Amino acid sequence: MTRAALVLLNGSTVLLFVAVLAVFGTLSPKFLTGANLENLLVQSSSTAVVAIGMTFVLVTAGVDLSVGAIMFIAAAVAGKLLLAGVALPLALLAILATGLACGAINALLVTRLGIVAFIATLATLYAGRGLGLWITQTRAMNLPDVFLHIGTARLAGVPLPLIVFAGVLALAHVTLTRTPFGRQLYAVGNHLEAARKAGLNTRRLLASVYVISGLCAAIGCILSLAQLGAVSPTFGTHREFSAIAAAVLGGTSLFGGRGAVFPGTVLGAVLIQSVENGLVILNADPYLYPLVTSAIIFVAVLIDSTRQRLVASLTRRRIRGEEA
């Protein structure tokens, strides 16, 4: 019975995704059209890339609450540069550099100063949003049309945001599943002390995931800005919760040592975007969106907690069986 329940929980995201497609497809014929599905994937690309970076952090039993703030700072810096006449490539490099720098600060706080990841990234979340508001002077900035071309451009008929997303996904998937670095991250998440005793440089490994998360937040910022075309004072707000929910819905454990970016995190991100897309098509009350998002996060955490208890129960049974 326990094993059956575990299998059901592992497949719960797929079941939820099918249910969401069926419900919104029934309520609106526009939902399952090819154009809307392509639009849904493009809209998902930003959240998915940020969630991929979050998956690296969660695998090591950490968390990064500052990704939304990193997106805001990077967007504010890019907006100021572009409006000052700086060329687009330099502005894009500034976004990536900002993401790497913010990730390095989180890595420093967690691995060198020994601050708990939740507290450290919560502090950088507030500090980052304050810095972003100071840079923008709380004013919205409309970006030049050249930035919007990133969101509408196509290569071989495929939208550029999807190509960027696919590149990040492929690199992350190979890193986690085919490299010693990826296996070491899972070892750190499973048991930090055991990994340290095995000779792994746990401090370097933990630092690297926060830098990766910062870089992914910067790439997600570019994809999001390319679709919005403007930097608002609320840009990136609550994006950290969407990223965590996507990763956990995809099977990544909040307790570390378990998770995958494909298909797990990607499916979680598309599921969340499908719900938001469906609500927009149905012209639902905008005040419902936060309630629905919070319900998804609650379901994700509930699934992860239940799965963790079942795995612990099966492990205890196996140990008792071996002892007998």
Side-chain angles (χ1 to χ4, degrees), residues 130-191:
L131 178 60
L133 290 173
W134 178 74
I135 294 173
T136 62
Q137 297 294 300
T138 69
R139 297 189 182 94
M141 291 185 288
N142 292 319
L143 301 179
D145 290 341
V146 66
F147 209 104
L148 285 171
H149 291 164
I150 299 175
T152 56
R154 288 176 177 267
L155 289 178
V158 181
L160 184 57
L162 288 185
I163 294 176
V164 174
F165 161 54
V168 173
L169 172 62
L171 188 59
H173 180 67
V174 170
T175 300
L176 281 178
T177 59
R178 296 286 186 271
T179 67
F181 173 71
R183 289 190 286 273
Q184 290 169 3
L185 293 182
Y186 286 105
V188 169
N190 271 313
H191 201 298

Side-chain angles (χ1 to χ4, degrees), residues 303-316:
I303 290 173
D304 183 51
S305 300
T306 307
R307 183 166 45 209
Q308 191 70 17
R309 285 199 302 274
L310 290 176
V311 170
S313 174
L314 288 172
T315 303
R316 284 196 298 271

Side-chain angles (χ1 to χ4, degrees), residues 93-137:
L93 286 176
I95 290 177
L96 298 177
T98 302
L100 287 171
C102 292
I105 291 173
N106 283 332
L108 177 70
L109 294 175
V110 173
T111 61
R112 293 292 176 180
L113 301 185
I115 302 175
V116 177
F118 179 87
I119 301 299
T121 57
L122 182 63
T124 51
L125 181 160
Y126 281 102
R129 294 220 70 86
L131 178 60
L133 290 173
W134 178 74
I135 294 173
T136 62
Q137 297 294 300

Side-chain angles (χ1 to χ4, degrees), residues 8 20 28 40 80 83 93 112 122 144 149 160 168 173 238 271 304 318:
L8 184 62
V20 166
S28 172
L40 194 157
K80 284 289 185 182
L83 294 181
L93 286 176
R112 293 292 176 180
L122 182 63
H149 291 164
L160 184 57
V168 173
H173 180 67
H238 299 157
L271 171 60
D304 183 51
R318 187 167 62 247

